[in-house]
Amino acid sequence: SAQGGFARDLKAMAQELVQWACGASVGSVAPPPPAPAATAVAAPTPMPAVVAAVRTTESVVVASLPSTSQPDEGSRWHDLIQRLLCEDLEDRFELAHCSTELLLLQAAREESMLDPMTTGGSQVSPLVRRLALRCMSQVTIAQQLPKTIWYQAAVVLDAWLAARTPSVSDSSFLQEMPAVCSVVLDVLCKTNADKTQNRHPGRVENGEIVHEVMQTLGYDLPAASPHDVHVMEKSLLLDLQWQVNMPTVESWISMLGARFGVITQDLYAEPLAEIAEEVCNLAKKLVMWKPADWQRRPRRLAGGLLGIGLVGASLLRIEDLRPHYVYREEWEQLFRESQTMAVAQRCTLPPRFTQRILTSFVIAAGLPLEEIQQDCEFAMRCLQAAAGAFHHRVGLAFAL
């Protein structure tokens, strides 16, 4: 109880400091004295927009503080406000299950996941890989499984293909595909039982569903027997050392989006909800295009896509995410050619508001602004290349 009272005193003091910092006159270095106990406390006046921004993030707090004639004393107040609000922000991250500790842990898991995927490599062609991903996508839709299962299945499939020795060829993988897809989905449904709510079928039924989906896709492959599925599941778990819950583009988007919502107190939840599905579609397009590696790591793509989403929601200007080495005309053309939702959207918010939103995004991502801008550029160039590859395949199909 003593610790709780102390924490409440700290938060109360932080609020008083914020109100003083935003209302103090230039040259003042001390907060106003507290009102006497016998004096009735007047009703608080409406706080200006800058105070709301101060409460949003500690960086905005420091930027909003007035300059003082005594830098040493003023800097102590700056540091105190920043520390108190940073602790409060991290507490809110904890409650939303998106703490900085979880962010760093997910980054470390991603690093360990990408190492064997980069050094190994798969002999399966992109066409056959996309067929397996399409099959698992249809199964997740038919079984009404969460979208997170498909993104995890794509990462597990890519990691397994890279870890298997000897490497699997297209012909052998096609014969194994019903069993592979069935095993990957079955394992992930077991490890995510809280999300699937026991909607996933059993092993035998799952294999039959995969076989039916393969037939609808035009491939009459033999259904996997229970024995084949059992052997395949054991091989998958041993090759991946039982590490099947891996970070994905979708999990990173969810993590960064939750942190952004905490910082902004869900002020922009409605415009972000409108473009959430489009952001997921762009993420799925990139996952279908190529497997993850060090260059196309999920965190990098997720940060870039979320930045594009903020532009698409008219919360940021296209110019806000432009790297310094990219010309303005080239940047706008890249937006158009990458076929994102941000092409026709123009932000009409005043610069001071977009600056606060950009600062909140930087803190949510846990990366410098320059790196976020580079991630946005990379994500758009990947979307541009993926769109070009799709049009190339369509042209070949019509030629044949």
Side-chain angles (χ1 to χ4, degrees):
S1 60
Q3 291 180 351
F6 180 68
R8 287 191 297 271
D9 292 341
L10 282 179
K11 291 186 178 180
M13 183 173 62
Q15 293 177 356
E16 293 178 3
L17 289 174
V18 168
Q19 293 177 3
W20 165 76
C22 296
S25 59
V26 176
S28 60
V29 296
T39 304
V41 180
T45 58
M47 301 181 71
V50 68
V51 179
V54 164
R55 287 180 171 178
T56 300
T57 170
E58 66 273 11
S59 294
V60 182
V61 169
V62 177
S64 301
L65 288 175
S67 58
T68 63
S69 58
Q70 301 182 21
D72 294 339
E73 184 69 19
S75 63
R76 286 200 294 269
W77 284 111
H78 287 206
D79 294 341
L80 177 59
I81 296 173
Q82 184 177 12
R83 183 173 68 255
L84 290 173
L85 291 186
C86 185
E87 292 175 357
D88 178 69
L89 182 63
E90 192 59 42
D91 289 341
R92 289 188 282 137
F93 282 155
E94 290 277 359
L95 293 175
H97 307 289
C98 57
S99 65
T100 303
E101 183 179 358
L102 286 178
L103 184 144
L104 297 176
L105 177 62
Q106 185 158 304
R109 289 170 55 198
E110 180 179 271
E111 182 177 348
S112 62
M113 172 192 79
L114 291 176
D115 190 26
M117 293 176 64
T118 304
T119 57
S122 171
Q123 300 298 323
V124 175
S125 65
L127 180 62
V128 176
R129 173 184 173 272
R130 279 192 294 270
L131 176 61
L133 295 181
R134 287 177 59 195
C135 174
M136 291 189 291
S137 176
Q138 293 296 324
V139 173
T140 55
I141 294 174
Q143 296 299 317
Q144 299 181 351
L145 298 176
K147 293 181 179 180
T148 56
I149 298 295
W150 181 83
Y151 288 96
Q152 291 179 348
V155 174
V156 168
L157 177 66
D158 292 333
W160 190 21
L161 291 176
R164 293 183 68 177
T165 52
S167 299
V168 183
S169 62
D170 279 353
S171 57
S172 59
F173 183 70
L174 277 173
Q175 298 299 319
E176 298 176 350
M177 190 176 296
V180 170
C181 294
S182 176
V183 165
V184 170
L185 292 175
D186 190 58
V187 168
L188 290 175
C189 285
K190 293 176 182 176
T191 57
N192 294 274
D194 57 330
K195 298 179 181 179
T196 57
Q197 298 178 356
N198 296 323
R199 289 197 300 267
H200 65 284
R203 178 179 295 170
V204 176
E205 184 182 352
N206 198 4
E208 295 175 353
I209 295 174
V210 171
H211 176 66
E212 294 176 0
V213 170
M214 293 296 297
Q215 286 183 327
T216 60
L217 294 176
Y219 293 87
D220 190 11
L221 300 175
S225 65
H227 175 73
D228 294 337
V229 172
H230 175 75
V231 173
M232 195 71 67
E233 179 177 349
K234 183 178 179 180
S235 174
L236 181 146
L237 294 174
L238 291 177
D239 290 339
L240 296 181
Q241 300 179 359
W242 294 79
Q243 301 299 319
V244 293
N245 283 328
M246 304 178 182
T248 66
V249 178
E250 188 272 340
S251 66
W252 274 114
I253 292 177
S254 178
M255 165 83 73
L256 301 182
R259 289 170 62 87
F260 180 79
V262 167
I263 295 173
T264 60
Q265 299 180 358
D266 289 328
L267 183 62
Y268 310 106
E270 184 176 349
L272 287 178
E274 295 177 356
I275 53 92
E277 185 176 355
E278 181 65 20
V279 171
C280 290
N281 290 336
L282 295 177
K284 188 172 184 178
K285 182 185 297 185
L286 293 181
V287 172
M288 292 284 291
W289 176 48
K290 283 186 177 181
D293 57 17
W294 276 112
Q295 191 176 20
R296 293 182 299 277
R297 55 189 178 273
R299 183 182 185 180
R300 185 180 191 185
L301 295 177
L305 291 175
L306 192 56
I308 295 172
L310 291 175
V311 176
S314 300
L315 297 177
L316 290 178
R317 301 169 300 169
I318 295 178
E319 181 69 16
D320 293 330
L321 299 177
R322 179 177 65 89
H324 66 88
Y325 53 82
V326 180
Y327 291 106
R328 182 176 290 103
E329 294 78 9
E330 179 187 358
W331 187 242
E332 293 182 355
Q333 182 181 0
L334 183 59
F335 262 93
R336 291 192 297 269
E337 294 181 354
S338 60
Q339 298 183 354
T340 66
M341 88 291 288
V343 174
Q345 301 290 341
R346 293 292 177 180
C347 178
T348 58
L349 295 176
R352 66 181 184 276
F353 287 106
T354 57
Q355 184 59 41
R356 294 169 189 168
I357 295 173
L358 185 61
T359 303
S360 300
F361 181 42
V362 168
I363 296 177
L367 297 172
L369 176 59
E370 293 76 10
E371 189 169 345
I372 292 176
Q373 292 172 334
Q374 294 172 7
D375 292 347
C376 290
E377 180 205 6
F378 181 76
M380 285 193 294
R381 295 196 183 279
C382 288
L383 289 170
Q384 185 183 36
F390 173 77
H391 292 311
H392 177 69
R393 293 196 303 271
V394 172
L396 288 179
F398 276 110
L400 293 175

